[in-house]
Amino acid sequence: MPASPPLSPPWHPERLAARLPFLHRRAALTAATRAFFAARGFTEVETPCLVPVPGMEVHLHAFRSEYVPHLGQGERRVLWLRTSPELALKRLLVAGAGPIFELARVWRNGEASPRHAPEFTMLEWYAPGLGLAGLMDQVEAYLRAVAPPLVSHAGVACDLTLPFERLTMQAAFARWCGGLDILATEGDAAKLRAAAAAIGVTPREDEGWEDLFFRLLLERIEPQLGRGRATFLTHWPTPQAALARRDPADPRAALRFELFVAGIELANAFDELTDPVEQRARFTADVAERRARYGSEGWEVDEDFLAALEHGMPAGSGIALGFDRLAMLASGARRIEDVLWLPALP
């Protein structure tokens, strides 16, 4: 069988022509996004991409760089390309800049698939004084303002004119994992392993609580979400929401949601944790877990961010939305590279 001809580079006119319908839709989406937030009194901001701490999520891998003071300013030091603008944007909230939004370029090392790129755009916005329910209302309004009423991906359709489903993690596990009370197992690997085995999911050797939680989530729950109508998956177990406030009604859960549209995980949001003592404890645990899982390569606790929290961050909510994925849904593109002007996938 003859070999397939080599693919032309992404700058080739024929390849750009194939992407242009998707890219024009992306450009319209960008303009509509800015108009939506401007009309609601948000300020668009820009925060640094090269930072001492790229983010505190345990399982995200960052691109390492180094500052070399060849002009005599500063000291030689390791820096990173940010995995999210979150920590910077919250510093601006402390300073009194909110409500704010950013269309931020971010980087995550090792992530490449039809829905992932190592460099991509994240839309983040923060609304001081707004609770998680109010943020969900705002997200619904935003998507209806900028996206077509009917979207689909990989054969999964979603009608954005319908009220978005609001489903707690507790209810989702009970519905699709044989009545499993996930919050009652929190942190107890043996208890979750037994519950998983009872519904026909064989735990893997040395699979801890977190690993098994995510396997059940990915295999049993996420495939059910965002089908027909969009779904907010809310009230995550507290260990899975490092920068979210605990639910006052049930401290085992944190005030976090993820949004699923047409089967795609589109956004992640927190009712923001403002307690510097609890945040320090969570960050310290995250650093220790990252070292245990991935070795010494990494970064320390973000002390400057904790200093900002100690100064005082206003209560409110914030969200990170995958803008490239939204562009895929809005344009009908099948792959993330179709909505990138110059794809650079490895």
mmCIF file of all heavy atoms in Angstrom, residues 164-194:
data_model
loop_
_atom_site.group_PDB
_atom_site.id
_atom_site.type_symbol
_atom_site.label_atom_id
_atom_site.label_comp_id
_atom_site.label_asym_id
_atom_site.label_seq_id
_atom_site.Cartn_x
_atom_site.Cartn_y
_atom_site.Cartn_z
ATOM 1 N N PHE A 164 -29.900 25.116 31.663
ATOM 2 C CA PHE A 164 -28.777 24.230 31.911
ATOM 3 C C PHE A 164 -29.068 23.369 33.149
ATOM 4 O O PHE A 164 -29.574 23.865 34.160
ATOM 5 C CB PHE A 164 -27.494 25.020 32.148
ATOM 6 C CG PHE A 164 -26.952 25.717 30.926
ATOM 7 C CD1 PHE A 164 -27.725 25.950 29.799
ATOM 8 C CD2 PHE A 164 -25.636 26.160 30.902
ATOM 9 C CE1 PHE A 164 -27.215 26.591 28.676
ATOM 10 C CE2 PHE A 164 -25.108 26.801 29.796
ATOM 11 C CZ PHE A 164 -25.896 27.034 28.685
ATOM 12 N N GLU A 165 -28.725 22.105 33.059
ATOM 13 C CA GLU A 165 -28.881 21.197 34.200
ATOM 14 C C GLU A 165 -27.872 21.569 35.290
ATOM 15 O O GLU A 165 -26.711 21.863 35.003
ATOM 16 C CB GLU A 165 -28.642 19.763 33.735
ATOM 17 C CG GLU A 165 -28.769 18.717 34.846
ATOM 18 C CD GLU A 165 -28.473 17.314 34.359
ATOM 19 O OE1 GLU A 165 -27.758 17.176 33.338
ATOM 20 O OE2 GLU A 165 -28.944 16.363 34.993
ATOM 21 N N ARG A 166 -28.317 21.521 36.548
ATOM 22 C CA ARG A 166 -27.432 21.768 37.689
ATOM 23 C C ARG A 166 -27.447 20.504 38.556
ATOM 24 O O ARG A 166 -28.422 20.233 39.253
ATOM 25 C CB ARG A 166 -27.871 23.009 38.462
ATOM 26 C CG ARG A 166 -27.891 24.245 37.570
ATOM 27 C CD ARG A 166 -28.161 25.543 38.293
ATOM 28 N NE ARG A 166 -28.198 26.663 37.348
ATOM 29 C CZ ARG A 166 -28.192 27.946 37.693
ATOM 30 N NH1 ARG A 166 -28.134 28.282 38.976
ATOM 31 N NH2 ARG A 166 -28.222 28.892 36.768
ATOM 32 N N LEU A 167 -26.353 19.767 38.498
ATOM 33 C CA LEU A 167 -26.280 18.431 39.077
ATOM 34 C C LEU A 167 -25.110 18.369 40.049
ATOM 35 O O LEU A 167 -23.968 18.662 39.670
ATOM 36 C CB LEU A 167 -26.079 17.410 37.947
ATOM 37 C CG LEU A 167 -25.959 15.939 38.324
ATOM 38 C CD1 LEU A 167 -27.292 15.408 38.849
ATOM 39 C CD2 LEU A 167 -25.503 15.131 37.101
ATOM 40 N N THR A 168 -25.371 17.991 41.308
ATOM 41 C CA THR A 168 -24.279 17.876 42.260
ATOM 42 C C THR A 168 -23.474 16.605 42.000
ATOM 43 O O THR A 168 -23.985 15.623 41.455
ATOM 44 C CB THR A 168 -24.785 17.840 43.706
ATOM 45 O OG1 THR A 168 -25.520 16.630 43.925
ATOM 46 C CG2 THR A 168 -25.660 19.052 44.020
ATOM 47 N N MET A 169 -22.213 16.626 42.403
ATOM 48 C CA MET A 169 -21.375 15.440 42.280
ATOM 49 C C MET A 169 -21.996 14.271 43.048
ATOM 50 O O MET A 169 -21.967 13.120 42.595
ATOM 51 C CB MET A 169 -19.968 15.746 42.808
ATOM 52 C CG MET A 169 -18.972 14.645 42.578
ATOM 53 S SD MET A 169 -18.498 14.439 40.847
ATOM 54 C CE MET A 169 -17.371 15.826 40.641
ATOM 55 N N GLN A 170 -22.555 14.570 44.211
ATOM 56 C CA GLN A 170 -23.191 13.531 45.029
ATOM 57 C C GLN A 170 -24.323 12.854 44.256
ATOM 58 O O GLN A 170 -24.425 11.624 44.207
ATOM 59 C CB GLN A 170 -23.741 14.181 46.309
ATOM 60 C CG GLN A 170 -24.374 13.216 47.298
ATOM 61 C CD GLN A 170 -23.364 12.651 48.265
ATOM 62 O OE1 GLN A 170 -22.212 12.414 47.893
ATOM 63 N NE2 GLN A 170 -23.778 12.436 49.488
ATOM 64 N N ALA A 171 -25.166 13.665 43.614
ATOM 65 C CA ALA A 171 -26.296 13.115 42.860
ATOM 66 C C ALA A 171 -25.819 12.359 41.623
ATOM 67 O O ALA A 171 -26.406 11.337 41.245
ATOM 68 C CB ALA A 171 -27.252 14.240 42.466
ATOM 69 N N ALA A 172 -24.765 12.849 40.979
ATOM 70 C CA ALA A 172 -24.258 12.188 39.777
ATOM 71 C C ALA A 172 -23.719 10.797 40.103
ATOM 72 O O ALA A 172 -23.989 9.824 39.382
ATOM 73 C CB ALA A 172 -23.167 13.040 39.141
ATOM 74 N N PHE A 173 -22.957 10.673 41.185
ATOM 75 C CA PHE A 173 -22.440 9.351 41.570
ATOM 76 C C PHE A 173 -23.579 8.425 41.971
ATOM 77 O O PHE A 173 -23.566 7.233 41.639
ATOM 78 C CB PHE A 173 -21.422 9.488 42.699
ATOM 79 C CG PHE A 173 -20.008 9.622 42.212
ATOM 80 C CD1 PHE A 173 -19.504 10.856 41.838
ATOM 81 C CD2 PHE A 173 -19.178 8.520 42.118
ATOM 82 C CE1 PHE A 173 -18.202 10.988 41.375
ATOM 83 C CE2 PHE A 173 -17.871 8.634 41.661
ATOM 84 C CZ PHE A 173 -17.384 9.872 41.284
ATOM 85 N N ALA A 174 -24.560 8.962 42.680
ATOM 86 C CA ALA A 174 -25.690 8.119 43.057
ATOM 87 C C ALA A 174 -26.438 7.622 41.820
ATOM 88 O O ALA A 174 -26.869 6.460 41.763
ATOM 89 C CB ALA A 174 -26.636 8.903 43.973
ATOM 90 N N ARG A 175 -26.564 8.469 40.803
ATOM 91 C CA ARG A 175 -27.335 8.123 39.604
ATOM 92 C C ARG A 175 -26.621 7.096 38.734
ATOM 93 O O ARG A 175 -27.243 6.148 38.245
ATOM 94 C CB ARG A 175 -27.616 9.387 38.791
ATOM 95 C CG ARG A 175 -28.473 9.146 37.553
ATOM 96 C CD ARG A 175 -28.680 10.434 36.750
ATOM 97 N NE ARG A 175 -29.300 11.491 37.534
ATOM 98 C CZ ARG A 175 -29.536 12.728 37.057
ATOM 99 N NH1 ARG A 175 -29.195 13.029 35.806
ATOM 100 N NH2 ARG A 175 -30.109 13.636 37.821
ATOM 101 N N TRP A 176 -25.309 7.273 38.531
ATOM 102 C CA TRP A 176 -24.610 6.443 37.550
ATOM 103 C C TRP A 176 -23.597 5.469 38.148
ATOM 104 O O TRP A 176 -22.953 4.738 37.413
ATOM 105 C CB TRP A 176 -23.921 7.342 36.522
ATOM 106 C CG TRP A 176 -24.922 8.041 35.635
ATOM 107 C CD1 TRP A 176 -25.854 7.449 34.823
ATOM 108 C CD2 TRP A 176 -25.114 9.452 35.476
ATOM 109 N NE1 TRP A 176 -26.610 8.399 34.168
ATOM 110 C CE2 TRP A 176 -26.176 9.647 34.541
ATOM 111 C CE3 TRP A 176 -24.484 10.575 36.010
ATOM 112 C CZ2 TRP A 176 -26.610 10.907 34.153
ATOM 113 C CZ3 TRP A 176 -24.926 11.830 35.625
ATOM 114 C CH2 TRP A 176 -25.976 11.993 34.706
ATOM 115 N N CYS A 177 -23.496 5.470 39.464
ATOM 116 C CA CYS A 177 -22.585 4.521 40.130
ATOM 117 C C CYS A 177 -23.329 3.707 41.183
ATOM 118 O O CYS A 177 -22.832 3.480 42.297
ATOM 119 C CB CYS A 177 -21.398 5.258 40.739
ATOM 120 S SG CYS A 177 -20.277 5.993 39.530
ATOM 121 N N GLY A 178 -24.532 3.296 40.845
ATOM 122 C CA GLY A 178 -25.264 2.358 41.695
ATOM 123 C C GLY A 178 -25.587 2.867 43.079
ATOM 124 O O GLY A 178 -25.557 2.090 44.045
ATOM 125 N N GLY A 179 -25.892 4.164 43.209
ATOM 126 C CA GLY A 179 -26.254 4.707 44.509
ATOM 127 C C GLY A 179 -25.075 5.053 45.395
ATOM 128 O O GLY A 179 -25.262 5.362 46.580
ATOM 129 N N LEU A 180 -23.864 5.052 44.858
ATOM 130 C CA LEU A 180 -22.659 5.336 45.636
ATOM 131 C C LEU A 180 -22.714 6.734 46.260
ATOM 132 O O LEU A 180 -22.961 7.719 45.578
ATOM 133 C CB LEU A 180 -21.429 5.217 44.726
ATOM 134 C CG LEU A 180 -20.085 5.667 45.291
ATOM 135 C CD1 LEU A 180 -19.726 4.886 46.546
ATOM 136 C CD2 LEU A 180 -18.989 5.514 44.239
ATOM 137 N N ASP A 181 -22.491 6.800 47.562
ATOM 138 C CA ASP A 181 -22.411 8.064 48.304
ATOM 139 C C ASP A 181 -20.947 8.506 48.297
ATOM 140 O O ASP A 181 -20.176 8.131 49.181
ATOM 141 C CB ASP A 181 -22.919 7.858 49.728
ATOM 142 C CG ASP A 181 -22.947 9.144 50.548
ATOM 143 O OD1 ASP A 181 -22.399 10.166 50.079
ATOM 144 O OD2 ASP A 181 -23.496 9.125 51.667
ATOM 145 N N ILE A 182 -20.562 9.289 47.308
ATOM 146 C CA ILE A 182 -19.148 9.584 47.112
ATOM 147 C C ILE A 182 -18.580 10.408 48.257
ATOM 148 O O ILE A 182 -17.421 10.201 48.671
ATOM 149 C CB ILE A 182 -18.914 10.294 45.747
ATOM 150 C CG1 ILE A 182 -17.422 10.393 45.442
ATOM 151 C CG2 ILE A 182 -19.594 11.647 45.709
ATOM 152 C CD1 ILE A 182 -16.715 9.071 45.313
ATOM 153 N N LEU A 183 -19.343 11.341 48.823
ATOM 154 C CA LEU A 183 -18.808 12.169 49.896
ATOM 155 C C LEU A 183 -18.566 11.363 51.168
ATOM 156 O O LEU A 183 -17.675 11.700 51.959
ATOM 157 C CB LEU A 183 -19.739 13.348 50.174
ATOM 158 C CG LEU A 183 -19.871 14.380 49.049
ATOM 159 C CD1 LEU A 183 -20.804 15.516 49.465
ATOM 160 C CD2 LEU A 183 -18.514 14.933 48.625
ATOM 161 N N ALA A 184 -19.326 10.290 51.359
ATOM 162 C CA ALA A 184 -19.126 9.441 52.537
ATOM 163 C C ALA A 184 -17.832 8.643 52.457
ATOM 164 O O ALA A 184 -17.356 8.124 53.477
ATOM 165 C CB ALA A 184 -20.307 8.496 52.713
ATOM 166 N N THR A 185 -17.249 8.536 51.256
ATOM 167 C CA THR A 185 -15.995 7.793 51.093
ATOM 168 C C THR A 185 -14.776 8.704 51.082
ATOM 169 O O THR A 185 -13.647 8.204 51.006
ATOM 170 C CB THR A 185 -15.991 7.000 49.770
ATOM 171 O OG1 THR A 185 -15.793 7.903 48.664
ATOM 172 C CG2 THR A 185 -17.282 6.222 49.578
ATOM 173 N N GLU A 186 -14.973 10.021 51.138
ATOM 174 C CA GLU A 186 -13.906 10.971 50.878
ATOM 175 C C GLU A 186 -12.637 10.665 51.670
ATOM 176 O O GLU A 186 -12.648 10.591 52.894
ATOM 177 C CB GLU A 186 -14.386 12.387 51.204
ATOM 178 C CG GLU A 186 -13.430 13.480 50.797
ATOM 179 C CD GLU A 186 -14.018 14.855 51.058
ATOM 180 O OE1 GLU A 186 -15.060 15.186 50.464
ATOM 181 O OE2 GLU A 186 -13.430 15.585 51.876
ATOM 182 N N GLY A 187 -11.537 10.448 50.953
ATOM 183 C CA GLY A 187 -10.252 10.181 51.569
ATOM 184 C C GLY A 187 -10.060 8.762 52.064
ATOM 185 O O GLY A 187 -8.972 8.406 52.508
ATOM 186 N N ASP A 188 -11.086 7.921 51.984
ATOM 187 C CA ASP A 188 -11.014 6.539 52.465
ATOM 188 C C ASP A 188 -10.922 5.617 51.252
ATOM 189 O O ASP A 188 -11.933 5.209 50.678
ATOM 190 C CB ASP A 188 -12.255 6.218 53.302
ATOM 191 C CG ASP A 188 -12.169 4.876 54.019
ATOM 192 O OD1 ASP A 188 -11.452 3.985 53.507
ATOM 193 O OD2 ASP A 188 -12.819 4.711 55.058
ATOM 194 N N ALA A 189 -9.690 5.281 50.854
ATOM 195 C CA ALA A 189 -9.481 4.490 49.641
ATOM 196 C C ALA A 189 -10.129 3.122 49.745
ATOM 197 O O ALA A 189 -10.727 2.630 48.778
ATOM 198 C CB ALA A 189 -7.987 4.356 49.357
ATOM 199 N N ALA A 190 -10.027 2.493 50.899
ATOM 200 C CA ALA A 190 -10.590 1.148 51.058
ATOM 201 C C ALA A 190 -12.107 1.171 50.878
ATOM 202 O O ALA A 190 -12.679 0.273 50.239
ATOM 203 C CB ALA A 190 -10.219 0.587 52.423
ATOM 204 N N LYS A 191 -12.739 2.180 51.413
ATOM 205 C CA LYS A 191 -14.195 2.276 51.316
ATOM 206 C C LYS A 191 -14.620 2.499 49.866
ATOM 207 O O LYS A 191 -15.585 1.882 49.386
ATOM 208 C CB LYS A 191 -14.687 3.423 52.198
ATOM 209 C CG LYS A 191 -16.193 3.438 52.442
ATOM 210 C CD LYS A 191 -16.538 4.450 53.521
ATOM 211 C CE LYS A 191 -18.018 4.398 53.885
ATOM 212 N NZ LYS A 191 -18.346 5.366 54.964
ATOM 213 N N LEU A 192 -13.910 3.357 49.144
ATOM 214 C CA LEU A 192 -14.266 3.605 47.749
ATOM 215 C C LEU A 192 -13.939 2.391 46.886
ATOM 216 O O LEU A 192 -14.689 2.063 45.964
ATOM 217 C CB LEU A 192 -13.532 4.842 47.225
ATOM 218 C CG LEU A 192 -13.899 5.272 45.798
ATOM 219 C CD1 LEU A 192 -15.406 5.494 45.653
ATOM 220 C CD2 LEU A 192 -13.134 6.525 45.385
ATOM 221 N N ARG A 193 -12.855 1.694 47.167
ATOM 222 C CA ARG A 193 -12.513 0.493 46.408
ATOM 223 C C ARG A 193 -13.600 -0.563 46.564
ATOM 224 O O ARG A 193 -14.003 -1.214 45.598
ATOM 225 C CB ARG A 193 -11.160 -0.048 46.863
ATOM 226 C CG ARG A 193 -9.982 0.805 46.411
ATOM 227 C CD ARG A 193 -8.702 0.437 47.153
ATOM 228 N NE ARG A 193 -8.252 -0.896 46.802
ATOM 229 C CZ ARG A 193 -7.440 -1.174 45.792
ATOM 230 N NH1 ARG A 193 -6.992 -0.194 45.025
ATOM 231 N NH2 ARG A 193 -7.072 -2.409 45.535
ATOM 232 N N ALA A 194 -14.113 -0.717 47.783
ATOM 233 C CA ALA A 194 -15.176 -1.688 48.019
ATOM 234 C C ALA A 194 -16.452 -1.286 47.293
ATOM 235 O O ALA A 194 -17.136 -2.130 46.696
ATOM 236 C CB ALA A 194 -15.434 -1.825 49.518
#
